[in-house]
Amino acid sequence: MEQLIQQTAAGLANGAIYALLALALVMIFVSTDHINFAQGEMAMFSAYLTWQFIQWGANFWIALPLVMVLSFAIGVGIERSILRPLHNAPVLSVVVVFIGLLTIFHALAGGIWTHTIKAVPSPFPQVSFPGSGYIGAHQLGMIVVTIVMLFALFAFFRLTPLGLAMRAAAQTPASARLAGISVDWMLALGWGLAAAVGAVAGSMVAPAVYLEPNMMASILLYGFAGALGGGISSPGGAVAGGSCLRPGGRPRRVLGPHRAGGAGDFLVAHR
C-alpha cells in the first residue's frame, strides 16, 4: 500500500509536467492547426538557459522568469520569421519545418553546452512536512507550480482584454479581424506563451531527469498522449489528459528521500 501511494504521488507530480507540455501543444494547435514537434526541444533549450543563469550565480526563482521572457521572445520570433511565410504552405512543408526546428534546438544545445549530462539542483528545500514519507519536496513543488501556472493562464484568457483577443483570433479569426484585432500578432503571442509554458515544464523536470539534449524526447511523448487523449483542440482536456498519465517505470533520479519518475510505461487500468 505504501508503495502504491508513493507511485501515485510521483504520478501526480509527473502528470503535472505532462499537463504543461500538453497545454503548450494545444495552444499552438488551436492557433495554427499544426502540432509543434519541436515543443520538447524548445523546453529543453529553455531548461539549459535556466541552468546557465544558475551557473552565473542567479537564484533559480530569478532565472526562471528571465528564461520565460527569453523563451516568449524566441517563440514570437519563430512564428513571425519562420512560420508566418508558410501560412498557406502545404501541411507536409510545415511538418518538415517543425522537424527542422527540433534538429536546430537539439544541435544548438549540444554545441553550446555539450552532450555531457548535468545535474540540476532542486529549487525546493528538502524539509520534512506532513506526507513527506510519500512525496518529495520537488514533486510537491512541481504540482504547486503547475497549478499556479494553470490558474494564471485561465485568468489571463478569461479576464484580460489581451487574453480574450487571443481567444477570438484563434477561434474566429475572420470576426476578430472585423473587430479590429490583429490576428497575426495574436497568433504570434500564442506561440510566445506556449514557449514560456514549455520553459516552466523543462526547468521543473530538469532536476528530476538530469539535463542533457535528449531529456525531453520521451517526456514529450506523454505530452502528446495527454493532448490527444484530452482533446487536441481543448486546453482543459489537454490538462486533464496530461494529469491522468501515470509513470509505471523505474524512477531515474533520487530527489531527497524520493525519486522522480522518468519516462516509464503507462500505468493503466485494463481488463
Side-chain angles (χ1 to χ4, degrees):
M1 178 59 71
E2 181 177 347
Q3 185 177 8
L4 176 62
I5 295 175
Q6 289 178 348
Q7 288 293 323
T8 302
L12 289 174
N14 293 329
I17 299 301
Y18 305 148
L20 283 180
L21 281 177
L23 180 61
L25 290 168
V26 167
M27 289 173 67
I28 292 179
F29 181 83
V30 168
S31 60
T32 65
D33 286 331
H34 299 297
I35 295 177
N36 181 13
F37 295 102
Q39 188 68 59
E41 303 306 294
M42 292 172 65
M44 172 273 296
F45 192 83
S46 297
Y48 266 106
L49 291 176
T50 302
W51 176 83
Q52 187 63 71
F53 277 113
I54 294 174
Q55 294 301 111
W56 287 338
N59 180 275
F60 179 90
W61 300 111
I62 295 176
L64 182 58
L66 291 175
V67 170
M68 290 176 66
V69 173
L70 287 175
S71 300
F72 179 89
I74 291 172
V76 172
I78 289 174
E79 199 282 335
R80 298 303 296 177
S81 62
I82 299 177
L83 295 175
R84 178 55 45 192
L86 299 174
H87 182 67
N88 296 318
V91 173
L92 184 59
S93 299
V94 179
V95 171
V96 170
V97 169
F98 283 142
I99 295 175
L101 286 172
L102 183 154
T103 305
I104 289 171
F105 278 107
H106 188 276
L108 278 176
I112 296 172
W113 294 287
T114 76
H115 289 265
T116 304
I117 295 175
K118 298 172 175 61
V120 180
S122 173
F124 304 101
Q126 299 298 325
V127 296
S128 297
F129 53 89
S132 59
Y134 300 107
I135 185 170
H138 188 80
Q139 294 170 325
L140 183 61
M142 287 196 297
I143 295 174
V144 172
V145 169
T146 299
I147 292 174
V148 171
M149 282 289 299
L150 294 178
F151 273 105
L153 288 171
F154 177 84
F156 173 76
F157 283 111
R158 292 283 182 176
L159 304 178
T160 67
L162 181 58
L164 293 172
M166 291 177 65
R167 289 176 59 197
Q171 295 173 4
T172 55
S175 299
R177 287 190 177 92
L178 292 176
I181 297 173
S182 177
V183 174
D184 291 346
W185 271 108
M186 293 301 104
L187 299 184
L189 293 179
W191 260 83
L193 278 179
V197 171
V200 175
S203 299
M204 285 289 105
V205 80
V209 298
Y210 293 111
L211 184 61
E212 52 98 13
N214 296 310
M215 59 174 276
M216 297 299 292
S218 55
I219 295 175
L220 183 64
L221 295 178
Y222 289 94
F224 278 129
L228 294 173
I232 191 63
S233 60
S234 170
V239 171
S243 301
C244 289
L245 301 180
R246 296 290 183 268
R250 293 298 299 168
R252 292 177 57 185
R253 183 181 174 193
V254 176
L255 290 174
H258 304 280
R259 293 175 180 264
D265 298 328
F266 290 130
L267 180 65
V268 295
H270 62 281
R271 292 186 178 273

